[in-house]
């Protein structure tokens, strides 16, 4: 039933921005101001948001709301405010008692310069559109 609802939602609510798969080595850092920074591979990205796989609980990301975008080890956008719009368990690892979750985040307001930097970031790191 959930699959049917997801499909119907995608048909009714089209994305505003085209989403792209990214090259390996395209990362984000969660909690960039905290001591426990985590470098995570981005799955796909658009001008409106991005998706990634995260190991941990649903509550762990609610505290931050800020991420940093990297291309390799080079910072491209330092402080991007976001809100979580999708959060699904994709697997559980009983050995370490952790869940792997696919997170979808929507970027909050970006200034004109940050929007231009994001466009360049997407151009440099995009592989192909998500179908």
């Amino acid at each position: 039933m959930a699959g049917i609802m997801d499909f119907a939602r995608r048909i009714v609510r089209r994305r505003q921005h085209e989403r792209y798969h990214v090259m390996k080595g395209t990362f984000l850092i969660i909690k960039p101001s905290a001591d426990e920074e985590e470098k995570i591979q981005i799955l796909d990205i658009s001008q409106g948001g991005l998706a990634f796989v995260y190991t941990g609980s649903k509550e762990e990301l609610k505290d931050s709301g800020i991420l940093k975008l990297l291309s390799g080890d080079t910072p491209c956008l330092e402080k991007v405010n976001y809100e979580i719009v999708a959060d699904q368990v994709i697997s559980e690892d009983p050995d370490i008692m952790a869940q792997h979750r696919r997170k979808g985040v929507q970027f909050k307001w970006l200034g004109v310069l940050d929007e231009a930097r994001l466009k360049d970031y997407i151009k440099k790191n995009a592989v192909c559109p998500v179908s």
Side-chain angles (χ1 to χ4, degrees):
M1 183 70 164
I4 294 170
M5 294 304 291
D6 287 340
F7 179 73
R9 191 174 353 174
R10 287 182 187 170
I11 290 174
V12 173
R13 196 177 79 203
R14 288 286 209 205
R15 293 191 184 276
Q16 290 181 335
H17 307 283
E18 189 164 19
R19 189 167 280 273
Y20 298 92
H21 292 289
V22 294
M23 291 186 273
K24 189 173 182 160
T26 307
F27 297 103
L28 63 89
I29 292 183
I30 294 293
K31 305 175 191 173
S33 60
D35 292 336
E36 69 266 2
E37 287 187 345
E38 291 188 52
K39 188 174 177 180
I40 301 169
Q41 173 73 40
I42 297 172
L43 299 174
D44 56 57
I45 191 168
S46 75
Q47 279 293 123
L50 58 82
F52 58 93
V53 174
Y54 180 79
T55 302
S57 71
K58 194 173 190 174
E59 290 72 31
E60 288 182 49
L61 287 184
K62 289 185 180 177
D63 296 339
S64 173
I66 299 172
L67 56 85
K68 182 191 305 184
L69 296 177
L70 303 172
S71 188
D73 288 328
T74 307
C76 295
L77 284 166
E78 292 288 328
K79 286 188 174 183
V80 179
N81 292 308
Y82 70 87
E83 63 181 317
I84 298 170
V85 293
D87 185 335
Q88 300 172 308
V89 175
I90 55 174
S91 70
E92 294 197 37
D93 189 341
D95 294 335
I96 59 173
M97 298 179 72
Q99 294 178 333
H100 300 282
R101 308 181 75 84
R102 185 182 194 283
K103 304 273 189 181
V105 301
Q106 180 178 7
F107 301 136
K108 290 188 178 177
W109 183 84
L110 292 171
V112 175
L113 291 176
D114 284 342
E115 281 187 14
R117 285 186 194 120
L118 181 59
K119 279 183 185 178
D120 288 341
Y121 183 80
I122 292 170
K123 274 185 193 176
K124 288 177 186 173
N125 294 292
V127 176
C128 63
V130 174
S131 53

